[in-house]
Amino acid sequence: MSEGTMQRRAQRDGQFDQHEQRAERVRRAGGLNRLLAAAVAVPVMLMAAGCSSDSGSGDDAKDAGASVGAGSGTDSAASTAPTVQAAAYKTLPEACAVVSKKTLTELVPKGAAKGKEGTSSDTAARASCSWSSLANNGVKGSQFRWLNVSLLRFESDATTGDGESQAKTYYAKQVKDAAAVSGAKNVKSAPAAATGDEATSVRYDLKKSEGAFKQQTVVVRVENVVLTLDYNGAGLAGDKAPSAETLTKSAEKAAKEAVAAVRSANGEGGSGGSDSSSTSPAPSESASSTPRATPSKSSSATPKATASKAAAAAPKASASAKS
């Protein structure tokens, strides 16, 4: 083998070795790169998972916060809602039983057992009863008496207010109306002592073709209940007119019994108006010939209704009416 040939072969071998060395470095570099790529990929995945987890936790926290906030708002709204004091009295007594038989016999002797109950769709909120009496004294004439008791109970309501405040307003209205009757003469108003929480007695004279009528209206408020008692009398066909002082005293006596009945019906002291041994008067229509008077609105009106003027319809008596 010549020297030139040997040199060329050595050069080829050297080039081959260099080629092999470069290939080996490439293979090693590729493996290292894959390792580095894998090493980098792992924390990236962990970070992505962590971010995803953190994002979910944040949403949950926001949802939880929103729920708590909403709950707090509801509780706050509930706590700030206006409250109304409950009404003291929840029911009414039977209207035709609020005055005792003894007192009825004194006030309306010919009609004590003939109480006429007023129409009401809710007797626990409004009730009334009336009695009339015509005592015929022959040639001397006759004595007419008419008694009416109306009860109105007010319930507490968030819109209209507590029952007692409503009752105070209605009480004042009834007193004002009782003293504003058309044609009334010698009108006098005075407090009615020892009757309910507040009470006023209004009296006046009313001249009609049948005779001179003496009207007494006692308005009483006891807690959230307003009681209006009307009592009038007249001497007909020449009989002497009754005393206004006597009629007023009788009316206030009956009003006190009615107030006691209201309290008793709601569990407070007092036996009420009716005697325990007697039964309440059975409602019945009075005779068509009996004079009638309607000084104040019947309690069949709703609690929110405005009371009519007392004695809006004057008593119409007939001298020839029979007892």
Side-chain angles (χ1 to χ4, degrees), residues 182-197:
S182 177
K185 303 294 183 181
N186 303 319
V187 180
K188 296 181 180 179
S189 299
T195 305
D197 297 315

Side-chain angles (χ1 to χ4, degrees), residues 1-279:
M1 180 179 299
S2 66
E3 183 177 353
T5 302
M6 292 179 64
Q7 288 179 350
R8 288 192 295 270
R9 183 174 183 180
Q11 289 176 352
R12 288 195 300 267
D13 292 340
Q15 291 175 355
F16 177 79
D17 291 339
Q18 290 177 358
H19 179 75
E20 288 292 327
Q21 290 175 1
R22 285 197 300 270
E24 182 64 22
R25 284 195 300 270
V26 171
R27 285 195 298 270
R28 290 179 179 178
L32 180 59
N33 290 338
R34 286 193 295 272
L35 289 174
L36 290 174
V40 171
V42 170
V44 170
M45 294 174 63
L46 292 175
M47 289 176 65
C51 290
S52 176
S53 175
D54 291 343
S55 177
S57 299
D59 293 341
D60 292 343
K62 290 179 181 179
D63 292 341
S67 299
V68 171
S72 300
T74 302
D75 294 341
S76 176
S79 63
T80 58
T83 57
V84 180
Q85 182 178 357
Y89 291 159
K90 299 297 183 183
T91 190
L92 294 175
E94 183 183 350
C96 290
V98 297
V99 181
S100 68
K101 285 290 186 65
K102 180 180 178 181
T103 301
L104 286 174
T105 302
E106 295 173 0
L107 272 63
V108 282
K110 295 296 182 178
K114 298 179 181 179
K116 180 184 178 183
E117 185 176 3
T119 302
S120 174
S121 59
D122 183 3
T123 55
R126 50 193 173 273
S128 67
C129 191
S130 62
W131 300 260
S132 60
S133 172
L134 186 63
N136 193 337
N137 297 320
V139 295
K140 293 182 178 181
S142 58
Q143 286 290 324
F144 169 71
R145 299 289 185 274
W146 183 81
L147 174 67
N148 183 80
V149 178
S150 297
L151 303 166
L152 199 57
R153 184 182 66 84
F154 293 85
E155 189 59 74
S156 295
D157 183 84
T159 302
T160 56
D162 64 273
E164 185 173 359
S165 296
Q166 295 179 67
K168 288 180 179 179
T169 301
Y170 183 72
Y171 164 82
K173 177 67 175 175
Q174 285 290 83
V175 172
K176 182 179 179 180
D177 288 348
V181 176
S182 177
K185 303 294 183 181
N186 303 319
V187 180
K188 296 181 180 179
S189 299
T195 305
D197 297 315
E198 51 184 336
T200 301
S201 178
V202 180
R203 76 185 194 191
Y204 54 84
D205 299 333
L206 195 63
K207 183 70 175 179
K208 301 297 293 184
S209 59
E210 297 88 352
F213 287 83
K214 303 287 185 178
Q215 170 68 36
Q216 278 60 226
T217 299
V218 182
V219 185
V220 186
R221 182 188 66 81
V222 52
E223 297 289 354
N224 56 307
V225 174
V226 176
L227 181 153
T228 304
L229 185 145
D230 294 300
Y231 183 49
N232 64 44
L236 307 178
D239 206 347
K240 184 180 179 180
S243 165
E245 287 74 16
T246 300
L247 293 179
T248 298
K249 183 178 180 180
S250 297
E252 291 182 353
K253 177 182 179 181
K256 289 179 181 180
E257 291 185 2
V259 169
V262 172
R263 287 172 170 161
S264 179
N266 288 276
E268 295 187 6
S271 58
S274 296
D275 301 330
S276 58
S277 60
S278 63
T279 58

